[in-house]
Amino acid sequence: FSECSSLKKIPIPNSVKKIENGSFKGCSSLEEISIPSSIKAIENDTFSNCAKLKQVSIPVSVSKIEDKAFFGCSSLNKLKIPDSVTSIGNSTFSKCSSLYKISLQSVNSIGDFAFSDCIALKKIKFTKNLKFIGKSAFSGCESLKYLFIPFSVVDIGNNAFNQCSSLELISLPISTYSKKLNINKKTQITYTNDSSDSYYQFGDILFRGDNVTMDRKLAIKYYKMAIDGGSEQAMLKYGNVLFTG
């Protein structure tokens, strides 16, 4: 069905076991689709450049969403990723310019450029299942304000958060301190480890949380970041008060 520009909707029966690469690529009028439970993976380029695609139903049978599967789906504004999905490929949601919210509950790997240029993306939730974030994975996500990257992440590719011009606060695993992430210079950065110690970066200097005094405004921002950015156990100490979320 590739490049069928008049196709708006199509039922896919459960008898279909696999949807091949690029099957609906460039179906510029396709508005909605329900993927049957017989499908195990969404292959490369399956729905790329389906500019009017707004609704997609992904069953729990799907374990991975491969490269460019939804690339350039500029009308897709939200998407529920089932807990069965553990892998997001390269450029999978790149240039989904209307996508504003997504939750990746069981995903452990996010590919290169996976969400690059998702200019409306304001909120994304990660969990402790996440281990790898590819290069430029969130580059150009200019609406993101807060991000909490769990300490389970062992590797973040270069420029992962490049050109995130609205990013105010980001929390990263301490193991990624030396990475070349090219984060906006105005973004406040904290680092955490699995013992719940917090580290704060001011310029090129890294401080341990116990030795840092924050003003009230900054403390509130950190707490908001932990909640909005997806922290499962948000904690912030300000003076003698411990905030939890």
mmCIF file of all heavy atoms in Angstrom, residues 73-121:
data_model
loop_
_atom_site.group_PDB
_atom_site.id
_atom_site.type_symbol
_atom_site.label_atom_id
_atom_site.label_comp_id
_atom_site.label_asym_id
_atom_site.label_seq_id
_atom_site.Cartn_x
_atom_site.Cartn_y
_atom_site.Cartn_z
ATOM 1 N N CYS A 73 5.300 11.427 10.816
ATOM 2 C CA CYS A 73 3.840 11.396 11.030
ATOM 3 C C CYS A 73 3.456 12.663 11.777
ATOM 4 O O CYS A 73 3.278 12.662 13.003
ATOM 5 C CB CYS A 73 3.436 10.142 11.806
ATOM 6 S SG CYS A 73 3.643 8.612 10.869
ATOM 7 N N SER A 74 3.333 13.727 11.050
ATOM 8 C CA SER A 74 3.240 15.068 11.631
ATOM 9 C C SER A 74 1.915 15.364 12.327
ATOM 10 O O SER A 74 1.809 16.364 13.042
ATOM 11 C CB SER A 74 3.498 16.126 10.547
ATOM 12 O OG SER A 74 2.629 15.946 9.447
ATOM 13 N N SER A 75 0.882 14.521 12.154
ATOM 14 C CA SER A 75 -0.409 14.742 12.822
ATOM 15 C C SER A 75 -0.586 13.874 14.065
ATOM 16 O O SER A 75 -1.542 14.043 14.819
ATOM 17 C CB SER A 75 -1.571 14.467 11.856
ATOM 18 O OG SER A 75 -1.554 15.382 10.778
ATOM 19 N N LEU A 76 0.331 12.952 14.304
ATOM 20 C CA LEU A 76 0.243 12.059 15.460
ATOM 21 C C LEU A 76 0.566 12.847 16.722
ATOM 22 O O LEU A 76 1.691 13.292 16.909
ATOM 23 C CB LEU A 76 1.225 10.902 15.282
ATOM 24 C CG LEU A 76 1.151 9.748 16.284
ATOM 25 C CD1 LEU A 76 -0.184 9.020 16.153
ATOM 26 C CD2 LEU A 76 2.310 8.776 16.048
ATOM 27 N N ASN A 77 -0.433 13.047 17.602
ATOM 28 C CA ASN A 77 -0.203 13.913 18.755
ATOM 29 C C ASN A 77 0.016 13.178 20.075
ATOM 30 O O ASN A 77 0.577 13.733 21.006
ATOM 31 C CB ASN A 77 -1.321 14.952 18.915
ATOM 32 C CG ASN A 77 -2.696 14.326 19.025
ATOM 33 O OD1 ASN A 77 -2.853 13.183 19.433
ATOM 34 N ND2 ASN A 77 -3.702 15.095 18.646
ATOM 35 N N LYS A 78 -0.457 11.951 20.167
ATOM 36 C CA LYS A 78 -0.172 11.150 21.353
ATOM 37 C C LYS A 78 -0.250 9.680 20.978
ATOM 38 O O LYS A 78 -0.924 9.298 20.021
ATOM 39 C CB LYS A 78 -1.120 11.478 22.498
ATOM 40 C CG LYS A 78 -2.576 11.265 22.218
ATOM 41 C CD LYS A 78 -3.413 11.661 23.433
ATOM 42 C CE LYS A 78 -4.904 11.498 23.145
ATOM 43 N NZ LYS A 78 -5.727 11.856 24.322
ATOM 44 N N LEU A 79 0.450 8.873 21.762
ATOM 45 C CA LEU A 79 0.525 7.461 21.434
ATOM 46 C C LEU A 79 0.794 6.666 22.699
ATOM 47 O O LEU A 79 1.685 7.006 23.475
ATOM 48 C CB LEU A 79 1.649 7.220 20.408
ATOM 49 C CG LEU A 79 1.830 5.793 19.898
ATOM 50 C CD1 LEU A 79 0.602 5.365 19.103
ATOM 51 C CD2 LEU A 79 3.082 5.701 19.021
ATOM 52 N N LYS A 80 0.017 5.629 22.903
ATOM 53 C CA LYS A 80 0.241 4.756 24.049
ATOM 54 C C LYS A 80 1.128 3.598 23.633
ATOM 55 O O LYS A 80 0.762 2.805 22.766
ATOM 56 C CB LYS A 80 -1.086 4.241 24.609
ATOM 57 C CG LYS A 80 -0.908 3.393 25.855
ATOM 58 C CD LYS A 80 -2.243 2.942 26.427
ATOM 59 C CE LYS A 80 -2.035 2.105 27.686
ATOM 60 N NZ LYS A 80 -3.328 1.637 28.249
ATOM 61 N N ILE A 81 2.299 3.531 24.231
ATOM 62 C CA ILE A 81 3.218 2.437 23.962
ATOM 63 C C ILE A 81 2.966 1.351 25.010
ATOM 64 O O ILE A 81 3.152 1.583 26.205
ATOM 65 C CB ILE A 81 4.687 2.901 24.051
ATOM 66 C CG1 ILE A 81 4.950 4.099 23.125
ATOM 67 C CG2 ILE A 81 5.632 1.749 23.723
ATOM 68 C CD1 ILE A 81 4.836 3.801 21.676
ATOM 69 N N PRO A 82 2.530 0.163 24.614
ATOM 70 C CA PRO A 82 2.246 -0.875 25.607
ATOM 71 C C PRO A 82 3.504 -1.339 26.345
ATOM 72 O O PRO A 82 4.626 -1.183 25.844
ATOM 73 C CB PRO A 82 1.635 -2.000 24.769
ATOM 74 C CG PRO A 82 2.123 -1.773 23.381
ATOM 75 C CD PRO A 82 2.269 -0.288 23.229
ATOM 76 N N ASP A 83 3.306 -1.916 27.518
ATOM 77 C CA ASP A 83 4.428 -2.368 28.345
ATOM 78 C C ASP A 83 5.255 -3.450 27.668
ATOM 79 O O ASP A 83 6.395 -3.710 28.065
ATOM 80 C CB ASP A 83 3.915 -2.895 29.682
ATOM 81 C CG ASP A 83 3.344 -1.792 30.556
ATOM 82 O OD1 ASP A 83 3.495 -0.609 30.182
ATOM 83 O OD2 ASP A 83 2.754 -2.103 31.602
ATOM 84 N N SER A 84 4.700 -4.089 26.660
ATOM 85 C CA SER A 84 5.417 -5.156 25.960
ATOM 86 C C SER A 84 6.572 -4.645 25.107
ATOM 87 O O SER A 84 7.506 -5.385 24.794
ATOM 88 C CB SER A 84 4.431 -5.925 25.066
ATOM 89 O OG SER A 84 3.793 -5.036 24.157
ATOM 90 N N VAL A 85 6.528 -3.358 24.738
ATOM 91 C CA VAL A 85 7.556 -2.790 23.860
ATOM 92 C C VAL A 85 8.821 -2.486 24.668
ATOM 93 O O VAL A 85 8.786 -1.734 25.641
ATOM 94 C CB VAL A 85 7.055 -1.506 23.168
ATOM 95 C CG1 VAL A 85 8.177 -0.841 22.375
ATOM 96 C CG2 VAL A 85 5.885 -1.831 22.248
ATOM 97 N N THR A 86 9.940 -3.067 24.260
ATOM 98 C CA THR A 86 11.204 -2.870 24.963
ATOM 99 C C THR A 86 12.235 -2.105 24.136
ATOM 100 O O THR A 86 13.248 -1.670 24.672
ATOM 101 C CB THR A 86 11.815 -4.223 25.375
ATOM 102 O OG1 THR A 86 12.037 -5.024 24.203
ATOM 103 C CG2 THR A 86 10.878 -4.967 26.326
ATOM 104 N N SER A 87 11.975 -1.925 22.851
ATOM 105 C CA SER A 87 12.970 -1.297 21.984
ATOM 106 C C SER A 87 12.325 -0.309 21.017
ATOM 107 O O SER A 87 11.342 -0.629 20.352
ATOM 108 C CB SER A 87 13.719 -2.378 21.192
ATOM 109 O OG SER A 87 14.629 -1.808 20.274
ATOM 110 N N ILE A 88 12.911 0.896 20.962
ATOM 111 C CA ILE A 88 12.516 1.933 20.003
ATOM 112 C C ILE A 88 13.698 2.141 19.061
ATOM 113 O O ILE A 88 14.805 2.430 19.504
ATOM 114 C CB ILE A 88 12.177 3.261 20.711
ATOM 115 C CG1 ILE A 88 11.063 3.075 21.748
ATOM 116 C CG2 ILE A 88 11.807 4.332 19.693
ATOM 117 C CD1 ILE A 88 9.708 2.804 21.185
ATOM 118 N N GLY A 89 13.485 2.000 17.767
ATOM 119 C CA GLY A 89 14.572 2.057 16.803
ATOM 120 C C GLY A 89 15.046 3.458 16.469
ATOM 121 O O GLY A 89 14.631 4.450 17.063
ATOM 122 N N ASN A 90 15.936 3.551 15.487
ATOM 123 C CA ASN A 90 16.497 4.820 15.044
ATOM 124 C C ASN A 90 15.455 5.638 14.277
ATOM 125 O O ASN A 90 14.743 5.102 13.413
ATOM 126 C CB ASN A 90 17.707 4.589 14.137
ATOM 127 C CG ASN A 90 18.833 3.862 14.829
ATOM 128 O OD1 ASN A 90 18.996 3.949 16.039
ATOM 129 N ND2 ASN A 90 19.627 3.127 14.065
ATOM 130 N N SER A 91 15.345 6.919 14.616
ATOM 131 C CA SER A 91 14.440 7.862 13.922
ATOM 132 C C SER A 91 12.984 7.390 13.913
ATOM 133 O O SER A 91 12.205 7.796 13.049
ATOM 134 C CB SER A 91 14.910 8.092 12.473
ATOM 135 O OG SER A 91 16.206 8.626 12.442
ATOM 136 N N THR A 92 12.602 6.581 14.875
ATOM 137 C CA THR A 92 11.268 5.977 14.890
ATOM 138 C C THR A 92 10.155 7.020 14.892
ATOM 139 O O THR A 92 9.171 6.906 14.160
ATOM 140 C CB THR A 92 11.107 5.053 16.105
ATOM 141 O OG1 THR A 92 12.104 4.039 16.038
ATOM 142 C CG2 THR A 92 9.746 4.395 16.118
ATOM 143 N N PHE A 93 10.295 8.044 15.733
ATOM 144 C CA PHE A 93 9.279 9.100 15.828
ATOM 145 C C PHE A 93 9.843 10.463 15.407
ATOM 146 O O PHE A 93 9.250 11.496 15.711
ATOM 147 C CB PHE A 93 8.734 9.183 17.256
ATOM 148 C CG PHE A 93 7.998 7.950 17.700
ATOM 149 C CD1 PHE A 93 8.635 6.980 18.467
ATOM 150 C CD2 PHE A 93 6.678 7.747 17.334
ATOM 151 C CE1 PHE A 93 7.961 5.839 18.873
ATOM 152 C CE2 PHE A 93 5.994 6.599 17.739
ATOM 153 C CZ PHE A 93 6.646 5.642 18.508
ATOM 154 N N SER A 94 10.947 10.451 14.739
ATOM 155 C CA SER A 94 11.564 11.708 14.311
ATOM 156 C C SER A 94 10.607 12.508 13.432
ATOM 157 O O SER A 94 9.912 11.951 12.577
ATOM 158 C CB SER A 94 12.849 11.405 13.532
ATOM 159 O OG SER A 94 13.473 12.593 13.109
ATOM 160 N N LYS A 95 10.552 13.815 13.694
ATOM 161 C CA LYS A 95 9.720 14.752 12.938
ATOM 162 C C LYS A 95 8.213 14.501 13.099
ATOM 163 O O LYS A 95 7.423 14.874 12.234
ATOM 164 C CB LYS A 95 10.114 14.755 11.457
ATOM 165 C CG LYS A 95 11.550 15.214 11.229
ATOM 166 C CD LYS A 95 11.883 15.394 9.773
ATOM 167 C CE LYS A 95 13.344 15.778 9.575
ATOM 168 N NZ LYS A 95 13.700 17.039 10.230
ATOM 169 N N CYS A 96 7.845 13.876 14.207
ATOM 170 C CA CYS A 96 6.418 13.808 14.573
ATOM 171 C C CYS A 96 6.109 15.112 15.289
ATOM 172 O O CYS A 96 6.100 15.186 16.527
ATOM 173 C CB CYS A 96 6.149 12.598 15.465
ATOM 174 S SG CYS A 96 6.256 11.011 14.601
ATOM 175 N N SER A 97 5.863 16.124 14.533
ATOM 176 C CA SER A 97 5.854 17.496 15.041
ATOM 177 C C SER A 97 4.657 17.834 15.922
ATOM 178 O O SER A 97 4.655 18.872 16.582
ATOM 179 C CB SER A 97 5.915 18.481 13.865
ATOM 180 O OG SER A 97 4.878 18.236 12.933
ATOM 181 N N SER A 98 3.634 16.971 15.964
ATOM 182 C CA SER A 98 2.471 17.215 16.829
ATOM 183 C C SER A 98 2.505 16.376 18.110
ATOM 184 O O SER A 98 1.695 16.589 19.010
ATOM 185 C CB SER A 98 1.170 16.926 16.078
ATOM 186 O OG SER A 98 1.008 17.796 14.978
ATOM 187 N N LEU A 99 3.420 15.447 18.195
ATOM 188 C CA LEU A 99 3.497 14.547 19.350
ATOM 189 C C LEU A 99 3.889 15.341 20.594
ATOM 190 O O LEU A 99 4.959 15.943 20.636
ATOM 191 C CB LEU A 99 4.521 13.445 19.088
ATOM 192 C CG LEU A 99 4.614 12.316 20.115
ATOM 193 C CD1 LEU A 99 3.322 11.507 20.132
ATOM 194 C CD2 LEU A 99 5.798 11.408 19.813
ATOM 195 N N TYR A 100 3.017 15.354 21.618
ATOM 196 C CA TYR A 100 3.296 16.166 22.796
ATOM 197 C C TYR A 100 3.480 15.366 24.074
ATOM 198 O O TYR A 100 3.985 15.891 25.075
ATOM 199 C CB TYR A 100 2.180 17.206 22.999
ATOM 200 C CG TYR A 100 0.840 16.646 23.420
ATOM 201 C CD1 TYR A 100 0.529 16.476 24.770
ATOM 202 C CD2 TYR A 100 -0.122 16.304 22.474
ATOM 203 C CE1 TYR A 100 -0.704 15.959 25.162
ATOM 204 C CE2 TYR A 100 -1.345 15.804 22.854
ATOM 205 C CZ TYR A 100 -1.633 15.631 24.204
ATOM 206 O OH TYR A 100 -2.851 15.115 24.586
ATOM 207 N N LYS A 101 3.109 14.089 24.059
ATOM 208 C CA LYS A 101 3.214 13.305 25.284
ATOM 209 C C LYS A 101 3.413 11.841 24.932
ATOM 210 O O LYS A 101 2.759 11.315 24.040
ATOM 211 C CB LYS A 101 1.946 13.475 26.126
ATOM 212 C CG LYS A 101 1.958 12.731 27.447
ATOM 213 C CD LYS A 101 0.648 12.964 28.193
ATOM 214 C CE LYS A 101 0.612 12.231 29.521
ATOM 215 N NZ LYS A 101 -0.666 12.447 30.244
ATOM 216 N N ILE A 102 4.320 11.187 25.671
ATOM 217 C CA ILE A 102 4.530 9.764 25.449
ATOM 218 C C ILE A 102 5.110 9.143 26.717
ATOM 219 O O ILE A 102 5.855 9.786 27.460
ATOM 220 C CB ILE A 102 5.453 9.510 24.228
ATOM 221 C CG1 ILE A 102 5.339 8.061 23.760
ATOM 222 C CG2 ILE A 102 6.890 9.878 24.527
ATOM 223 C CD1 ILE A 102 5.892 7.848 22.364
ATOM 224 N N SER A 103 4.724 7.912 26.985
ATOM 225 C CA SER A 103 5.210 7.188 28.158
ATOM 226 C C SER A 103 5.855 5.891 27.693
ATOM 227 O O SER A 103 5.260 5.138 26.912
ATOM 228 C CB SER A 103 4.058 6.894 29.126
ATOM 229 O OG SER A 103 4.521 6.202 30.265
ATOM 230 N N LEU A 104 7.070 5.650 28.160
ATOM 231 C CA LEU A 104 7.829 4.471 27.740
ATOM 232 C C LEU A 104 8.063 3.575 28.946
ATOM 233 O O LEU A 104 9.155 3.526 29.510
ATOM 234 C CB LEU A 104 9.152 4.908 27.111
ATOM 235 C CG LEU A 104 9.037 5.927 25.970
ATOM 236 C CD1 LEU A 104 10.408 6.393 25.518
ATOM 237 C CD2 LEU A 104 8.280 5.329 24.795
ATOM 238 N N GLN A 105 7.052 2.842 29.344
ATOM 239 C CA GLN A 105 7.063 2.120 30.613
ATOM 240 C C GLN A 105 8.107 1.013 30.691
ATOM 241 O O GLN A 105 8.765 0.836 31.711
ATOM 242 C CB GLN A 105 5.676 1.532 30.888
ATOM 243 C CG GLN A 105 4.591 2.564 31.111
ATOM 244 C CD GLN A 105 4.785 3.344 32.402
ATOM 245 O OE1 GLN A 105 5.433 2.890 33.322
ATOM 246 N NE2 GLN A 105 4.234 4.537 32.456
ATOM 247 N N SER A 106 8.259 0.229 29.644
ATOM 248 C CA SER A 106 9.153 -0.935 29.697
ATOM 249 C C SER A 106 10.311 -0.854 28.708
ATOM 250 O O SER A 106 11.069 -1.807 28.570
ATOM 251 C CB SER A 106 8.341 -2.218 29.431
ATOM 252 O OG SER A 106 7.343 -2.391 30.405
ATOM 253 N N VAL A 107 10.431 0.269 28.033
ATOM 254 C CA VAL A 107 11.476 0.420 27.019
ATOM 255 C C VAL A 107 12.856 0.446 27.671
ATOM 256 O O VAL A 107 13.089 1.178 28.628
ATOM 257 C CB VAL A 107 11.247 1.714 26.205
ATOM 258 C CG1 VAL A 107 12.440 2.017 25.312
ATOM 259 C CG2 VAL A 107 9.981 1.590 25.384
ATOM 260 N N ASN A 108 13.776 -0.359 27.160
ATOM 261 C CA ASN A 108 15.144 -0.358 27.682
ATOM 262 C C ASN A 108 16.159 0.231 26.708
ATOM 263 O O ASN A 108 17.299 0.501 27.079
ATOM 264 C CB ASN A 108 15.582 -1.767 28.116
ATOM 265 C CG ASN A 108 15.513 -2.787 26.993
ATOM 266 O OD1 ASN A 108 15.958 -2.534 25.882
ATOM 267 N ND2 ASN A 108 14.933 -3.951 27.280
ATOM 268 N N SER A 109 15.730 0.461 25.473
ATOM 269 C CA SER A 109 16.656 1.004 24.479
ATOM 270 C C SER A 109 15.936 1.980 23.557
ATOM 271 O O SER A 109 14.897 1.651 22.969
ATOM 272 C CB SER A 109 17.254 -0.147 23.655
ATOM 273 O OG SER A 109 18.110 0.343 22.643
ATOM 274 N N ILE A 110 16.503 3.195 23.432
ATOM 275 C CA ILE A 110 15.975 4.227 22.540
ATOM 276 C C ILE A 110 17.036 4.524 21.501
ATOM 277 O O ILE A 110 18.172 4.870 21.834
ATOM 278 C CB ILE A 110 15.612 5.505 23.320
ATOM 279 C CG1 ILE A 110 14.497 5.205 24.333
ATOM 280 C CG2 ILE A 110 15.166 6.617 22.372
ATOM 281 C CD1 ILE A 110 14.180 6.369 25.252
ATOM 282 N N GLY A 111 16.703 4.374 20.236
ATOM 283 C CA GLY A 111 17.685 4.494 19.164
ATOM 284 C C GLY A 111 18.101 5.910 18.830
ATOM 285 O O GLY A 111 17.563 6.894 19.345
ATOM 286 N N ASP A 112 19.094 6.017 17.938
ATOM 287 C CA ASP A 112 19.591 7.307 17.473
ATOM 288 C C ASP A 112 18.453 8.102 16.804
ATOM 289 O O ASP A 112 17.678 7.547 16.020
ATOM 290 C CB ASP A 112 20.709 7.107 16.448
ATOM 291 C CG ASP A 112 21.912 6.367 17.007
ATOM 292 O OD1 ASP A 112 22.022 6.268 18.247
ATOM 293 O OD2 ASP A 112 22.741 5.886 16.205
ATOM 294 N N PHE A 113 18.363 9.386 17.131
ATOM 295 C CA PHE A 113 17.379 10.306 16.526
ATOM 296 C C PHE A 113 15.927 9.845 16.732
ATOM 297 O O PHE A 113 15.032 10.282 16.001
ATOM 298 C CB PHE A 113 17.653 10.476 15.023
ATOM 299 C CG PHE A 113 18.991 11.070 14.697
ATOM 300 C CD1 PHE A 113 20.084 10.256 14.452
ATOM 301 C CD2 PHE A 113 19.172 12.441 14.656
ATOM 302 C CE1 PHE A 113 21.336 10.795 14.168
ATOM 303 C CE2 PHE A 113 20.411 12.996 14.371
ATOM 304 C CZ PHE A 113 21.497 12.175 14.124
ATOM 305 N N ALA A 114 15.679 8.993 17.716
ATOM 306 C CA ALA A 114 14.353 8.378 17.873
ATOM 307 C C ALA A 114 13.226 9.396 17.971
ATOM 308 O O ALA A 114 12.150 9.204 17.402
ATOM 309 C CB ALA A 114 14.342 7.469 19.095
ATOM 310 N N PHE A 115 13.457 10.489 18.706
ATOM 311 C CA PHE A 115 12.428 11.526 18.882
ATOM 312 C C PHE A 115 12.939 12.897 18.423
ATOM 313 O O PHE A 115 12.409 13.921 18.850
ATOM 314 C CB PHE A 115 12.005 11.602 20.347
ATOM 315 C CG PHE A 115 11.290 10.376 20.845
ATOM 316 C CD1 PHE A 115 11.987 9.332 21.423
ATOM 317 C CD2 PHE A 115 9.912 10.262 20.718
ATOM 318 C CE1 PHE A 115 11.331 8.192 21.883
ATOM 319 C CE2 PHE A 115 9.246 9.125 21.167
ATOM 320 C CZ PHE A 115 9.963 8.089 21.752
ATOM 321 N N SER A 116 13.910 12.910 17.576
ATOM 322 C CA SER A 116 14.481 14.191 17.143
ATOM 323 C C SER A 116 13.442 15.033 16.410
ATOM 324 O O SER A 116 12.605 14.517 15.668
ATOM 325 C CB SER A 116 15.700 13.956 16.237
ATOM 326 O OG SER A 116 15.330 13.299 15.046
ATOM 327 N N ASP A 117 13.489 16.332 16.680
ATOM 328 C CA ASP A 117 12.594 17.300 16.032
ATOM 329 C C ASP A 117 11.117 17.047 16.315
ATOM 330 O O ASP A 117 10.245 17.393 15.505
ATOM 331 C CB ASP A 117 12.837 17.345 14.516
ATOM 332 C CG ASP A 117 14.237 17.812 14.171
ATOM 333 O OD1 ASP A 117 14.684 18.811 14.765
ATOM 334 O OD2 ASP A 117 14.909 17.163 13.342
ATOM 335 N N CYS A 118 10.829 16.462 17.477
ATOM 336 C CA CYS A 118 9.440 16.395 17.951
ATOM 337 C C CYS A 118 9.196 17.705 18.697
ATOM 338 O O CYS A 118 9.288 17.773 19.933
ATOM 339 C CB CYS A 118 9.227 15.190 18.858
ATOM 340 S SG CYS A 118 9.261 13.610 17.988
ATOM 341 N N ILE A 119 8.895 18.736 17.960
ATOM 342 C CA ILE A 119 8.925 20.095 18.505
ATOM 343 C C ILE A 119 7.808 20.390 19.501
ATOM 344 O O ILE A 119 7.887 21.357 20.257
ATOM 345 C CB ILE A 119 8.889 21.139 17.364
ATOM 346 C CG1 ILE A 119 7.633 20.959 16.504
ATOM 347 C CG2 ILE A 119 10.149 21.044 16.511
ATOM 348 C CD1 ILE A 119 7.473 22.035 15.435
ATOM 349 N N ALA A 120 6.758 19.552 19.529
ATOM 350 C CA ALA A 120 5.651 19.772 20.472
ATOM 351 C C ALA A 120 5.787 18.926 21.741
ATOM 352 O O ALA A 120 5.012 19.093 22.679
ATOM 353 C CB ALA A 120 4.314 19.478 19.805
ATOM 354 N N LEU A 121 6.761 18.036 21.776
ATOM 355 C CA LEU A 121 6.892 17.103 22.897
ATOM 356 C C LEU A 121 7.229 17.843 24.181
ATOM 357 O O LEU A 121 8.280 18.449 24.312
ATOM 358 C CB LEU A 121 7.979 16.067 22.584
ATOM 359 C CG LEU A 121 8.120 14.907 23.574
ATOM 360 C CD1 LEU A 121 6.832 14.094 23.628
ATOM 361 C CD2 LEU A 121 9.294 14.016 23.184
#
